[in-house]
Amino acid sequence: MVTLADVARHAGVSASTVSYVLSGKRSISAPTRERIQHSIDALGYRPHAGARALASSRTDILALMMPLRTGLYVPVMMEIAMAVTTTARSHGYDVLLLTGEEGPEAVRRVEGSAIADAMIVMDVELDDPRLPCLQEAERPSVLIGLPAASAEAASSTGLDCVDLDFEAAGVRCVEHLAGLGHTAIAVLGEPPAVYARGTGFAARTLAGLRAAADAYGVGLLHRPVEGTYAAVAAAVTRVFEERPGTTALVVQNEAAVEPLLALLRHQGRAVPEDVSVAAICPDQVAAHASVPLTAVSVPAQEMGRLRRPQEVEHPVAGRGRHGAGIRRGGRALGQGGRRRWPGRTARPRRAAASVVSTIDTISQVSVRTPSWAPVATPKTGTTTPATA
């Protein structure tokens, strides 16, 4: 096994000089650093992780907290996790995946044991019990999700967040369907456990749907549903019994998409001729559905990659981003809008802020504007058959 002493002999420098280059504790001239790096590459030297951590107080590990709770759609969670992992690796970090429902204890464990340099937190709730521990922690953190009902409210937590503007996603669904002439819309939402926990994205979407329904004078019926065929069939049957005039469905539940389409076929309801269906889901779910769906895209990979701030120590105001635009069959047809959120002065960063600044992250609250992907040209009250 190649040792640090071997690298030093190959580069013609002392072992301490190699150590300083690896730890960054002292300034070493550029030619010497390059010579040492050449020797490291030529010999295939890999620093001992434990020794490096002891010497530098860094682990080069990021803790990704992804509790696998009831009602979550695991494929989307894993898509985000894979984006986090590949992005972190490209910047020299490995990822420690924590899937237990430990809540604040997981934050305290990472903070107290120093097993990671920073934390990335998923499945964020509106009143998330992990927030106080994250706010007190010396290690920096990023939340994939907003711990509040809006970006403005999330800014007051002092924590860095990145998410889709799910409230705007709900609004866009109603705007689209109301524009087709629909006056009675039913929403098949996430499983009941997701709403019971106060999961942020689901609650914010529902708030947007309801606000837009009120604004457009549209009747809205919301039904949380498990993603099984039996559960979807029971929910849809109740919807049409309670409101037989329902002509449009919004689905925010990836697991329920195919059961819903199968049920509508069984009932003899053609999509989109007899009933319009709009989904809030990742692109591949809508594109690979048995019927191409109009959808608000959930950018799972983009949220996992996060976004680099201009300065982590002195964050700039969080900004919305241009949407990916209107898409048909994966081809961009237009551009989404941009929403700007008011900036604020952030609290100073504590030790190890440079760790997060070296990966693609965000500064304060970053909310992505939803992109819209209609697949059909509508007529009043219905939509014409989807086109490629």
Side-chain angles (χ1 to χ4, degrees):
M1 184 178 68
V2 179
T3 66
L4 186 144
D6 295 330
V7 174
R9 282 193 296 271
H10 188 276
V13 298
S14 67
S16 61
T17 300
V18 176
S19 179
Y20 291 144
V21 168
L22 293 173
S23 67
K25 284 189 173 182
R26 290 192 182 181
S27 177
I28 304 297
S29 68
T32 301
R33 286 200 313 273
E34 292 173 3
R35 192 164 72 251
I36 291 172
Q37 186 60 53
H38 173 74
S39 297
I40 289 173
D41 294 340
L43 298 175
Y45 174 67
R46 294 291 181 269
H48 188 281
R52 182 176 57 190
L54 287 173
S56 65
S57 299
R58 289 174 55 138
T59 65
D60 289 342
I61 292 174
L62 305 177
L64 176 60
M65 298 180 182
M66 189 182 76
L68 297 180
R69 296 167 170 159
T70 303
L72 289 179
Y73 188 65
V74 175
V76 172
M77 300 290 283
M78 289 306 300
E79 188 176 355
I80 296 173
M82 287 299 297
V84 168
T85 301
T86 55
T87 303
R89 188 62 245 148
S90 70
H91 291 279
Y93 287 84
D94 291 310
V95 173
L96 174 65
L97 183 60
L98 305 177
T99 59
E101 296 189 48
E102 301 175 78
E105 182 54 36
V107 179
R108 286 191 287 265
R109 182 156 57 88
V110 171
E111 176 73 5
S113 63
I115 58 175
D117 297 328
M119 293 171 276
I120 300 173
V121 181
M122 295 176 61
D123 195 33
V124 178
E125 300 170 7
L126 293 180
D127 188 20
D128 202 300
R130 296 170 292 186
L131 292 190
C133 292
L134 291 169
Q135 290 166 328
E136 296 171 2
E138 290 296 324
R139 281 161 182 74
S141 60
V142 175
L143 279 62
I144 301 180
L146 299 188
S150 67
E152 292 93 334
S155 294
S156 66
T157 66
L159 296 170
D160 294 337
C161 311
V162 62
D163 206 357
L164 177 72
D165 188 339
F166 281 98
E167 184 176 357
V171 169
R172 296 196 74 172
C173 286
V174 173
E175 286 178 344
H176 174 71
L177 295 172
L180 302 183
H182 294 286
T183 58
I185 301 171
V187 180
L188 299 184
E190 298 288 346
V194 174
Y195 296 98
R197 288 196 301 268
T199 306
F201 77 90
R204 285 163 34 228
T205 304
L206 184 56
L209 288 163
R210 287 172 170 166
D214 289 343
Y216 284 89
V218 172
L220 187 77
L221 188 64
H222 174 251
R223 289 290 180 266
V225 64
E226 301 290 346
T228 66
Y229 183 89
V232 171
V236 172
T237 298
R238 288 197 303 272
V239 164
F240 287 123
E241 287 176 351
E242 295 175 24
R243 296 194 182 179
T246 298
T247 56
L249 299 169
V250 175
V251 188
Q252 189 184 27
N253 184 327
E254 293 88 351
V257 168
E258 277 306 318
L260 172 64
L261 296 177
L263 174 68
L264 294 175
R265 283 195 300 271
H266 179 73
Q267 294 179 340
R269 301 176 191 269
V271 178
E273 293 88 347
D274 299 323
V275 60
S276 293
V277 178
I280 301 172
C281 62
D283 288 338
Q284 68 271 21
V285 174
H288 296 158
S290 55
V291 175
L293 293 179
T294 294
V296 172
S297 175
V298 176
Q301 290 189 22
E302 185 175 344
M303 288 192 288
R305 285 192 294 266
L306 311 178
R307 183 161 63 94
R308 185 188 300 280
Q310 294 176 357
E311 292 182 66
V312 171
E313 290 78 10
H314 301 287
V316 296
R319 290 185 292 272
R321 303 170 68 182
H322 282 301
I326 296 174
R327 295 182 177 272
R328 176 178 296 158
R331 299 188 298 274
L333 303 180
Q335 288 298 322
R338 170 178 291 181
R339 174 175 293 184
R340 292 189 177 274
W341 303 105
R344 68 179 193 85
T345 302
R347 61 183 176 85
R349 281 290 183 183
R350 294 188 285 268
S354 60
V355 174
V356 169
S357 70
T358 60
I359 68 168
D360 285 342
T361 183
I362 46 80
S363 179
Q364 293 309 307
V365 178
S366 176
V367 181
R368 188 184 189 280
T369 302
S371 61
W372 187 239
V375 296
T377 302
K379 60 184 178 181
T380 303
T382 63
T383 57
T384 58
T387 56

